[in-house]
Amino acid sequence: MTAIKYLCQGLESKKKITLLLKLTSTKENIQGGIFDHLVNNLSISQSAMLNNLTPGNLSVAIKDLNAIAEVVEKINEFNVYDKSHTK
């Protein structure tokens, strides 16, 4: 079974990724790689090379950030559902 991706290459806003990264202790160069991949639409390899990372480490960081995005999305869904069913 494959995990659902909540974050998509090149389709995310800088503001959204910045907010998600505030929930982590991700180092600055890894953050740069994440921005290059998710916001600027560069491949994992390109993003890693530009930020002096290994593609494997960047992939793990993106996977971890995706897990955080999943939790945030589930909280948002819960809030919408809860508000619509409290009358």
Side-chain angles (χ1 to χ4, degrees):
M1 184 168 124
T2 58
I4 295 173
K5 285 188 176 180
Y6 286 84
L7 302 172
C8 297
Q9 177 183 347
L11 297 177
E12 304 303 334
S13 71
K14 185 175 182 180
K15 187 173 185 175
K16 177 180 178 179
I17 299 304
T18 299
L19 289 170
L20 287 171
L21 286 169
K22 287 183 182 238
L23 300 173
T24 73
S25 59
T26 304
K27 294 180 180 175
E28 192 172 323
N29 63 328
I30 295 175
Q31 288 185 18
I34 290 169
F35 281 114
D36 284 340
H37 181 66
L38 295 175
V39 178
N40 300 328
N41 200 26
L42 298 179
S43 69
I44 294 279
S45 298
Q46 292 169 322
S47 300
M49 184 180 68
L50 284 174
N51 293 279
N52 199 26
L53 304 165
T54 65
N57 285 347
L58 182 55
S59 293
V60 169
I62 291 169
K63 182 181 175 185
D64 291 346
L65 192 63
N66 191 65
I68 291 169
E70 179 180 9
V71 171
V72 170
E73 183 61 29
K74 287 182 178 188
I75 290 169
N76 289 334
E77 289 172 5
F78 175 79
N79 287 337
V80 168
Y81 177 82
D82 193 48
K83 287 179 184 173
S84 67
H85 289 84
T86 56
K87 294 183 179 180

